[in-house]
Amino acid sequence: RKPAEAALLAAQRLEPREPDFAYALAVLYAQNGQRDNAIAAAEQLQALRPGDAQSAQLLQRLRAGGP
């Protein structure tokens, strides 16, 4: 888990406008029970993809306590 998180965070620092990294971090954090981090990553994703229904649904699910 830590190597994956570190790699995604490093990639995100290099390409901060790439939404796939925010998505992957949101999923990783959600799978590891890190709800606050998952929500923060999903919020970043939504900011990078405004109006995207899937991004909004992911954020809504995480805020509701779901995966």
Side-chain angles (χ1 to χ4, degrees), residues 22-23 28 32 55-56 60 67:
Y23 174 79
L28 177 72
N32 289 315
S55 299
Q60 185 178 17

Side-chain angles (χ1 to χ4, degrees), residues 15-42:
E15 295 289 339
R17 307 281 313 146
E18 175 53 59
D20 291 340
F21 300 138
Y23 174 79
L25 281 165
V27 171
L28 177 72
Y29 289 139
Q31 289 175 344
N32 289 315
Q34 295 177 290
R35 186 168 171 254
D36 291 341
N37 288 341
I39 290 170

